[in-house]
Amino acid sequence: MKNLRTVVTTALVIALSSLGPSAASAAGSAATRCSGGPGTAAPVARAAAQPVTVWLAGDSTMANPGSARCPVGWGSRFDALFNADVTVRNQAVGGRSIQTWMYEGNVSSTKGSDGECRLTSQGYSARWQSMLNASTGMKAGDYLFIQFGINDSSSTCPRHVGPARYRQLMTTMVQAALARGAHPVLLTPVAAITCSGSTATKNRGFVNETFAVGSATRTPVVDLQSLSVSLYNSLRFCPHNGDYGSGPVGAFFCNDRTHFETYGAERIAGLVARDVRRQNLPLAAYLR
């Protein structure tokens, strides 16, 4: 077939040569395009997706489950929502405020004159140090999801964190991620289930602080408190008779109305993933 095209093209060029060089040149160009030669751009191969690690920092509502059936943090169900190019590293730990998560073992049980829990050392926790490690920690293109604000509302040390200190520590985490080329994402704390008549209501603090850090650092914020309350209302969890161990509420929450059963964790993880897509974050390209 190729030889036949060559013979026909040669004959065509000879025949057109009597009409002038421009006609012969046009014929030659047409033949080149037809034969897939230099006149045709080769199809561009689709670039392979860059592997991404999604790091999670938070409390028990995000953490991986232990040996008990409940609680199950939503972060443990996040990985299943992404394709194989994403690895989720869940570093959330139950019972932690943002300060005790960052300074594990170095937060005292007494407050200073500023009303904040005293630090006995400026040394970071092993988990935060591992995420900051230049070789094995956050790298360019990774993501860091940060969700605190539940244990931080405690009035006593070591978990207590004031609003200004909360903003300071969250900003520190954001800047650490940015310095490594990673993408921070902030989350307001996920809501527990509380009812006002037939309506689920918001019940978490540090929402304004989270948005303030997001605005100051140009970091996206997933308003998980609002999203979770909207979900509870769509599922008609209210009004409620106070029995958190049975029915639709019991299938979603542990008996403490704060932590999640597996089903609840999956639904909350889905809320986060959908908001990543809604905000058109580049990470959305990896969602299934």
Side-chain angles (χ1 to χ4, degrees):
M1 185 66 181
K2 183 176 180 180
N3 291 337
L4 179 59
R5 282 201 303 268
T6 302
V7 170
V8 171
T9 300
T10 302
L12 180 61
V13 171
I14 292 173
L16 290 176
S17 61
S18 60
L19 300 178
S22 61
S25 176
S29 296
T32 300
R33 288 193 299 273
C34 181
S35 62
T40 303
V44 178
R46 186 174 180 179
Q50 180 71 28
V52 169
T53 299
V54 176
W55 302 83
L56 305 182
D59 54 38
S60 57
T61 61
M62 179 193 269
N64 290 331
S67 57
R69 186 193 70 185
C70 204
V72 179
W74 67 262
S76 67
R77 296 300 182 263
F78 206 39
D79 185 72
L81 303 178
F82 294 95
N83 64 29
D85 294 313
V86 169
T87 300
V88 174
R89 295 281 300 275
N90 192 355
Q91 300 294 317
V93 183
R96 301 312 190 267
S97 66
I98 190 169
Q99 183 159 254
T100 56
W101 187 93
M102 290 179 69
Y103 293 96
E104 186 79 46
N106 293 327
V107 185
S108 75
S109 58
T110 59
K111 292 181 180 179
S113 59
D114 60 355
E116 296 295 340
C117 302
R118 294 178 183 273
L119 292 180
T120 59
S121 167
Q122 294 293 326
Y124 286 138
S125 64
R127 71 182 69 91
W128 185 223
Q129 289 186 51
S130 71
M131 292 167 69
L132 299 177
N133 186 284
S135 300
T136 59
M138 292 183 289
K139 64 181 185 301
D142 284 354
Y143 282 78
L144 171 61
F145 281 65
I146 306 169
Q147 182 215 285
F148 292 97
I150 296 177
N151 300 302
D152 314 67
S153 62
S154 173
S155 61
T156 60
C157 294
R159 298 200 297 185
H160 167 79
V161 180
R165 179 65 170 162
Y166 190 88
R167 291 193 299 271
Q168 178 188 33
L169 294 174
M170 184 168 275
T171 299
T172 296
M173 295 185 73
V174 166
Q175 291 174 340
L178 292 173
R180 289 157 177 77
H183 309 287
V185 178
L186 307 179
L187 299 96
T188 60
V190 63
I193 179 64
T194 56
C195 298
S196 176
S198 60
T199 304
T201 58
K202 297 179 180 180
N203 44 52
R204 299 301 189 198
F206 298 95
V207 173
N208 292 338
E209 288 75 15
T210 302
F211 275 106
V213 174
S215 177
T217 61
R218 297 185 178 181
T219 299
V221 177
V222 175
D223 189 3
L224 190 52
Q225 174 164 225
S226 294
L227 292 173
S228 56
V229 169
S230 294
L231 174 63
Y232 304 160
N233 281 316
S234 71
L235 295 174
R236 300 187 177 183
F237 283 167
C238 299
H240 193 261
N241 62 7
D243 178 9
Y244 298 103
S246 63
V249 171
F252 197 101
F253 289 96
C254 304
N255 200 34
D256 60 5
R257 72 181 177 84
T258 295
H259 297 99
F260 307 115
E261 295 276 359
T262 299
Y263 169 69
E266 290 171 348
R267 294 299 301 265
I268 298 298
L271 292 179
V272 178
R274 281 193 291 275
D275 209 55
V276 165
R277 197 186 299 276
R278 181 191 66 81
Q279 295 194 45
N280 200 31
L281 303 185
L283 182 62
Y286 295 85
L287 288 168
R288 294 184 187 276

